[in-house]
Amino acid sequence: MCSLSLSSLLLVLLVLCFSGVSSADTVNPTIKGKGYRLVSIEETPDGGLLGHLQLIQNSKVYGPDIPLLQLYVKHETQDRLRVHITDAQKQRWEVPYNLLPREQPPSLTQTIGKTGKKPITVSEYSGSELIFNYISDPFGFAVKRKSDGQVLFNSSSDPKDPYGELVFKDQYLEISTSLPKDASLYGLGENSQPHGIKLYPNDPYTLFTTDVSAINLNTDLYGSHPVYMDLRNVGGQAYAHSVLLLNSNGMDVFYRGTSLTYKVIGGVFDFYFFAGPTPLGVVDQYTSFVGRPAPMPYWSLGFHQCRWGYHNLSVVEDVVENYKKAQIPLDVIWNDDDHMDGHKDFTLNPKNYPRPKLLAFLDKIHSIGMKYIVIIDPGIGVNTSYGVYQRGLANDVFIKYEGEPFLAQVWPGAVNFPDFLNPKTVSWWGDEIRRFHELVPVDGLWIDMNEASNFCSGKCKIPKGQCPTGSGPGWVCCLDCKNITKTRWDEPPYKINASGLQVPIGFKTIATSATHYNGVLEYDAHSLYGFSQSIATHKALQGLEGKRPFILTRSTYVGSGRYAAHWTGDNKGTWEDLKISITTVLNFGIFGVPMVGADICGFYPAPTEELCNRWIEVGAFYPFSRDHANFYSPRQELYQWESVAESARNALGMRYKLLPYLYTLNYEAHISGAPIARPLFFSFPTYTETYGLSTQFLLGSSVMISPVLEQGKSKVKALFPPGTWYSLFDLTQVINSKQGKYFTLDAPLHVVNVHVYQNTILPMQQGGLISKAARTTPFNLVVTFPAGASNATAKGNLFLDDDELPEMNLGSGYSTYVDFYATVSQGRVKVWSEVQEGKFALGKGWVVEKVSVLGLDGSGGTSALEVDGNPVTSVSSIELSVSEQKYLKEAEDGETTKSVMVDVNGLSLPVGKNFALSWKMGIKA
């Protein structure tokens, strides 16, 4: 549940008020200052560089400059370089080191040359993969990749550049880099990007966590991720790197196509450069620093149903029953705040959700493997008879304003916000979750409104009358409030483009002059609120029963993927929102938050029947797949229209067959950061046609989704990178894209095109209506060779474990990992496995029942089938069958390749044991 209607209404009003305002870059011009000069530099005991920068000339725009800065540079790993710049004489705010663990820079020396080390005279500092270059006067630095000499970042400016030298003031920091004009940039979120996944020159990129509906384009939304990936094609070779500015303060980032400028309202410059050079390598390096994505339980990859407006338990029971009747898969049923007593966290409505009946319902769904998740908002209702509030007050856990808990308004009415930077708050929060779990054994938690969202602004007090009144929308502010403008934290000298309209940064959130634990200002810590709540919630859930937590959060920051999944917030039931959802999902994979999805069919208003058909065909392949709707929208569960139910059975039916593959991708994400949903350029980085492609996506490296995203269409024009692609819904259907090209595919209303790429072995199961049941079915392996290949290889893998265990790794005795291999050579086809830790899979009794090998040369039959070196006799139940494959041919195509698919049925190969399967074909060697 979200304050979507509030946000939309306010933005309309604000547009009218600010209609004369131009872009922030015009209103807040770039400072063309003289910058700093390097006055000392020396080597540190840990092998880094420590220097001092002295201001050349003061400027009064946005406040006085800081006269002396400390520079610290270090190659932290062979592919990660850190450049840290701060005030040399005074400690400044940084992202807390306990929230995001990392190396501490040297303490402030305050005296130039105090370490006594011999000054360095060279202007280059080289590591294994990256080189740091600098010039002294004015100071500027460049980062180069050693292997190819490419300049990845260059902060020095030229008089003709639209940016100046380094600026460092208390509440305004500015730094820029030049960029090659053909560089493709991705990231800098969270926002809804109408131009697709590639950053678009002169679009605004503002980072400041805000409860503004995702329907607002190019606006700072719920998360702050000051990181971008830069992909370049040089001489036909692809090179990727990534740049993170680890800073939680509000910022505008101006991308002009050939340059990028950061304008930040506090903190420090703490840059991390990741060398790449592949997109997957970049995300691996990034998540090795910010935290590997959290392991997800198997059931979380099933389908989820939610709605704000399930007024009582009977409605929820009917929803579950109707999914079953419609034969549509469903793993998780959710409650928005309808289950609460007066919208208060950790409570049950005794009338509409009586505990005995709710517990009986949970016993019933838990017995078949279904799960139940509820929402929690951070605002704790101010109510002297409310135990959660009383205990919070007694433990002094709330954010303060002028020494008293800061008063805001959210759904319960007047609320205080817990301060998750306070260790006492983390303990209190964990205790409240424990108490609630004893009341209701929920299987996960949904933490919403944690930007933090506030229906009021400024300093408020509770009025004499009822608040809220109980009539009209619950999001109208009814507290008695006054604007806070008396401090520089509430009215900073530089106005970031907050909410796309330069609204005050304390607008509809916690006052930025409020204070956290140890006097930390909300001004500095604002964008960390949801992140710190995710950490506290993860700790609490993990401590309950020792199970793997599932948390869904709206607000995110750098490193949030280590603790939680994310959904893209309040979207709209429109074709444009459907299309934009793909871009946002792909961006979060780059941000290290791979478990992500959008509200299927849109949060509000009512989607059309056709749109909902097409949306489930996309949403069935989001990593996190959930239908969710607004209180004020008509019901939109997938069974509400028979046509949508048919599309859902088709698309979700394929998802549930792919669950072992998706779960293996979840494991790969956890160990290497690899996104589950990926842009095509991750697998085809040299193919520049994929660089801006935002209408198709990959699951893992080789399963491609090509959905219909436009109204009234029954065909889709899809890009197929070079190679052979096989339809997953009909393995005899082949596209052989020799140089890479667009193909027009049939896509009637109930059809979504899903293809698997050559050289792949895809582990699948038989599907089902609940993941627990689907997981017990036999496996089949789909092996794909290039069309007509007489000499080729394929490979794949499979990870299996006890998904309730907190850790996701090998060596515990509760997991198995399998590598699959296949070759065709000199007329012989061979498929085999190599198993690690096979005991777990053997204990579960999983078997491979069928192997399908695609793309074989069709010039002969099959013979001499062997299983584990033993010839298969005619009396065996194992059968080989051969099917001719059909090729989609465009008018300009020449002669089509011929190939066949061979199915080996009737197998019973234990997944937990090495196997080898081979046969001969009439293939010319």
Side-chain angles (χ1 to χ4, degrees):
M1 175 179 59
C2 315
S3 53
L4 175 138
S5 299
L6 167 73
S7 304
S8 305
L9 177 63
L10 288 169
L11 283 183
V12 170
L13 295 173
L14 286 164
V15 166
L16 296 175
C17 295
F18 287 87
S19 57
V21 176
S22 57
S23 75
D25 205 13
T26 304
V27 176
N28 295 319
T30 298
I31 298 175
K32 285 277 194 171
K34 302 283 187 182
Y36 289 76
R37 67 169 58 91
L38 182 71
V39 293
S40 75
I41 190 163
E42 55 202 31
E43 191 174 345
T44 60
D46 63 358
L49 295 183
L50 184 65
H52 287 88
L53 309 175
Q54 200 166 62
L55 182 67
I56 295 174
Q57 181 178 312
N58 191 43
S59 162
K60 292 184 180 178
V61 181
Y62 308 138
D65 296 87
I66 292 175
L68 188 67
L69 304 178
Q70 177 172 290
L71 167 72
Y72 174 63
V73 185
K74 188 182 179 187
H75 293 282
E76 293 191 336
T77 68
Q78 66 176 16
D79 43 39
R80 184 174 81 230
L81 171 71
R82 183 184 192 182
V83 178
H84 183 276
I85 302 173
T86 188
D87 187 335
Q89 298 173 305
K90 183 181 177 184
Q91 196 74 36
R92 289 181 62 80
W93 164 257
E94 298 187 44
V95 175
Y97 284 77
N98 63 324
L99 283 190
L100 193 67
R102 59 201 189 278
E103 292 183 27
Q104 294 263 12
S107 58
L108 303 179
T109 59
Q110 298 189 6
T111 305
I112 297 171
K114 186 176 180 181
T115 62
K117 287 271 187 178
K118 184 177 180 181
I120 291 171
T121 55
V122 298
S123 60
E124 185 172 288
Y125 172 49
S126 181
S128 298
E129 300 292 339
L130 296 171
I131 300 171
F132 176 82
N133 287 104
Y134 62 88
I135 57 173
S136 297
D137 193 2
F139 171 75
F141 71 90
V143 177
K144 297 180 181 179
R145 190 186 289 110
K146 202 171 189 177
S147 59
D148 52 44
Q150 287 187 50
V151 177
L152 311 186
F153 192 94
N154 186 358
S155 73
S156 296
S157 70
D158 188 271
K160 69 179 186 301
D161 289 328
Y163 54 87
E165 300 291 346
L166 169 71
V167 178
F168 205 116
K169 301 168 183 284
D170 190 29
Q171 287 183 267
Y172 182 81
L173 286 67
E174 181 182 313
I175 195 169
S176 302
T177 179
S178 56
L179 293 165
K181 67 177 185 295
D182 57 351
S184 297
L185 268 60
Y186 312 88
L188 296 178
E190 176 180 7
N191 59 22
S192 295
Q193 298 173 198
H195 294 108
I197 190 170
K198 265 176 69 170
L199 297 189
Y200 194 78
N202 301 316
D203 272 359
Y205 297 97
T206 298
L207 280 67
F208 189 73
T209 61
T210 307
D211 176 13
V212 174
S213 160
I215 68 173
N216 295 287
L217 306 180
N218 292 325
T219 301
D220 47 311
L221 298 181
Y222 315 106
S224 176
H225 294 271
V227 60
Y228 68 86
M229 180 188 290
D230 180 331
L231 178 62
R232 305 173 187 180
N233 190 290
V234 181
Q237 294 296 311
Y239 301 91
H241 69 273
S242 191
V243 179
L244 166 67
L245 172 56
L246 189 59
N247 182 303
S248 62
N249 290 83
M251 68 179 79
D252 289 329
V253 186
F254 295 96
Y255 171 53
R256 305 179 187 87
T258 57
S259 66
L260 186 142
T261 297
Y262 298 90
K263 299 181 178 183
V264 193
I265 60 172
V268 302
F269 286 130
D270 196 1
F271 281 104
Y272 291 84
F273 300 92
F274 304 92
T278 66
L280 268 179
V282 164
V283 180
D284 185 3
Q285 294 154 18
Y286 179 69
T287 56
S288 73
F289 171 62
V290 304
R292 298 298 195 194
M296 294 290 158
Y298 200 88
W299 54 262
S300 69
L301 294 166
F303 184 67
H304 304 243
Q305 178 61 52
C306 185
R307 175 180 171 80
W308 175 25
Y310 288 151
H311 299 293
N312 57 49
L313 180 59
S314 296
V315 177
V316 174
E317 291 173 319
D318 287 346
V319 170
V320 172
E321 186 60 28
N322 284 326
Y323 266 93
K324 182 180 177 182
K325 285 180 182 177
Q327 293 290 286
I328 300 171
L330 179 65
D331 257 76
V332 190
I333 187 72
W334 295 56
N335 263 129
D336 209 310
D337 80 340
D338 303 290
H339 68 286
M340 295 181 185
D341 183 13
H343 307 285
K344 298 190 297 294
D345 282 347
F346 307 120
T347 62
L348 277 183
N349 184 309
K351 178 181 177 184
N352 295 329
Y353 284 83
R355 183 169 180 256
K357 290 185 177 180
L358 179 58
L359 292 180
F361 168 70
L362 294 185
D363 284 344
K364 180 180 176 182
I365 66 168
H366 283 157
S367 70
I368 59 172
M370 284 188 65
K371 306 295 179 180
Y372 177 62
I373 294 175
V374 299
I375 197 169
I376 295 178
D377 293 337
I380 301 299
V382 175
N383 185 326
T384 54
S385 63
Y386 175 34
V388 177
Y389 171 71
Q390 290 176 319
R391 290 185 290 272
L393 209 57
N395 284 282
D396 194 24
V397 303
F398 298 118
I399 292 170
K400 299 285 202 320
Y401 184 79
E402 295 181 340
E404 296 294 325
F406 175 76
L407 192 69
Q409 181 189 329
V410 200
W411 300 111
V415 299
N416 295 149
F417 288 113
D419 174 13
F420 293 103
L421 300 184
N422 185 342
K424 286 171 64 177
T425 307
V426 174
S427 298
W428 162 83
W429 185 251
D431 184 58
E432 296 302 338
I433 288 175
R434 178 191 60 76
R435 289 169 182 265
F436 181 64
H437 194 268
E438 290 174 356
L439 186 72
V440 185
V442 296
D443 300 290
L445 289 174
W446 171 18
I447 51 178
D448 190 13
M449 308 289 282
N450 52 351
E451 293 74 28
S453 177
N454 181 0
F455 298 163
C456 303
S457 299
K459 183 180 181 180
C460 303
K461 58 184 181 180
I462 299 173
K464 292 180 180 178
Q466 185 179 347
C467 173
T469 61
S471 62
W475 54 73
V476 174
C477 178
C478 56
L479 299 178
D480 182 5
C481 304
K482 294 180 180 178
N483 287 336
I484 303 173
T485 58
K486 61 187 176 184
T487 78
R488 61 194 180 102
W489 312 116
D490 302 298
E491 292 284 339
Y494 176 83
K495 307 290 189 288
I496 62 169
N497 197 27
S499 300
L501 294 163
Q502 292 191 326
V503 301
I505 55 175
F507 181 71
K508 301 297 180 184
T509 187
I510 300 168
T512 43
S513 54
T515 54
H516 293 253
Y517 180 67
N518 277 347
V520 168
L521 285 164
E522 168 70 9
Y523 179 89
D524 293 316
H526 171 84
S527 289
L528 299 176
Y529 193 79
F531 178 45
S532 61
Q533 187 192 17
S534 295
I535 295 172
T537 306
H538 186 273
K539 181 178 180 181
L541 285 181
Q542 203 165 51
L544 279 180
E545 297 176 305
K547 291 184 178 181
R548 189 174 300 175
F550 179 83
I551 300 160
L552 184 73
T553 181
R554 190 169 73 177
S555 185
T556 59
Y557 185 70
V558 173
S560 283
R562 185 178 181 183
Y563 305 98
H566 173 65
W567 94 106
T568 64
D570 297 349
N571 59 0
K572 205 169 181 178
T574 69
W575 292 93
E576 182 180 31
D577 283 63
L578 167 60
K579 188 174 180 180
I580 288 171
S581 75
I582 295 175
T583 290
T584 309
V585 166
L586 296 179
N587 266 329
F588 269 86
I590 293 172
F591 296 151
V593 189
M595 188 64 167
V596 57
D599 285 347
I600 293 169
C601 298
F603 181 62
Y604 96 110
T608 65
E609 183 175 346
E610 181 191 2
L611 175 62
C612 206
N613 270 278
R614 293 308 192 187
W615 209 318
I616 186 55
E617 291 171 353
V618 178
F621 301 100
Y622 292 150
F624 172 64
S625 184
R626 185 183 72 158
D627 181 317
H628 179 43
N630 188 356
F631 183 94
Y632 298 96
S633 298
R635 296 282 291 271
Q636 65 181 45
E637 292 85 5
L638 301 179
Y639 54 77
Q640 296 289 345
W641 304 269
E642 180 47 43
S643 71
V644 176
E646 184 177 341
S647 294
R649 285 189 289 269
N650 187 47
L652 287 172
M654 179 56 72
R655 180 189 182 90
Y656 273 61
K657 291 176 183 178
L658 287 170
L659 284 176
Y661 177 66
L662 289 171
Y663 194 68
T664 302
L665 294 178
N666 174 25
Y667 172 70
E668 291 181 358
H670 179 57
I671 63 170
S672 71
I676 297 173
R678 307 174 190 175
L680 269 66
F681 68 74
F682 267 67
S683 288
F684 304 95
T686 61
Y687 186 45
T688 56
E689 280 287 317
T690 64
Y691 285 14
L693 187 65
S694 307
T695 54
Q696 298 166 248
F697 60 98
L698 294 172
L699 290 176
S701 61
S702 54
V703 174
M704 182 170 72
I705 320 299
S706 305
V708 172
L709 302 173
E710 296 177 71
Q711 185 177 359
K713 300 291 186 182
S714 59
K715 293 182 182 292
V716 62
K717 188 178 180 183
L719 180 65
F720 284 79
T724 307
W725 297 84
Y726 300 90
S727 169
L728 263 188
F729 284 98
D730 181 354
L731 296 176
T732 65
Q733 299 287 336
V734 189
I735 289 178
N736 199 23
S737 183
K738 293 177 181 176
Q739 303 299 320
K741 60 182 291 187
Y742 281 90
F743 286 78
T744 301
L745 310 175
D746 287 330
L749 189 61
H750 307 304
V751 170
V752 57
N753 281 278
V754 181
H755 290 81
V756 59
Y757 192 55
Q758 65 185 37
N759 308 115
T760 299
I761 301 180
L762 191 64
M764 299 175 69
Q765 284 175 284
Q766 309 304 306
L769 297 182
I770 298 173
S771 66
K772 182 179 179 180
R775 203 179 187 194
T776 64
T777 61
F779 281 83
N780 60 290
L781 303 179
V782 176
V783 181
T784 62
F785 290 128
S790 58
N791 199 317
T793 62
K795 61 183 180 179
N797 48 40
L798 175 66
F799 178 81
L800 302 159
D801 75 346
D802 178 345
D803 69 314
E804 291 201 333
L805 293 178
E807 298 301 322
M808 190 183 216
N809 53 28
L810 286 172
S812 64
Y814 296 95
S815 58
T816 295
Y817 188 83
V818 186
D819 283 302
F820 297 109
Y821 300 95
T823 58
V824 56
S825 179
Q826 297 181 333
R828 190 161 193 85
V829 180
K830 184 178 179 183
V831 182
W832 73 99
S833 69
E834 294 180 3
V835 180
Q836 299 177 53
E837 309 276 340
K839 182 181 176 181
F840 174 74
L842 289 171
K844 292 292 183 180
W846 283 308
V847 296
V848 175
E849 185 178 76
K850 179 181 177 182
V851 174
S852 300
V853 182
L854 285 56
L856 294 168
D857 188 329
S859 60
T862 63
S863 62
L865 174 63
E866 294 183 359
V867 176
D868 293 332
N870 300 311
V872 174
T873 65
S874 58
V875 296
S876 167
S877 61
I878 299 173
E879 296 180 354
L880 268 80
S881 60
V882 180
S883 306
E884 189 174 333
Q885 297 189 291
K886 307 176 192 71
Y887 284 75
L888 180 63
K889 187 176 179 182
E890 296 290 280
E892 65 272 22
D893 285 350
E895 186 176 344
T896 302
T897 306
K898 291 184 178 180
S899 66
V900 297
M901 173 176 75
V902 174
D903 286 323
V904 186
N905 289 288
L907 297 166
S908 186
L909 305 172
V911 171
K913 183 180 177 184
N914 292 352
F915 70 80
L917 183 70
S918 66
W919 66 90
K920 288 183 180 179
M921 293 201 69
I923 300 173
K924 297 173 185 177

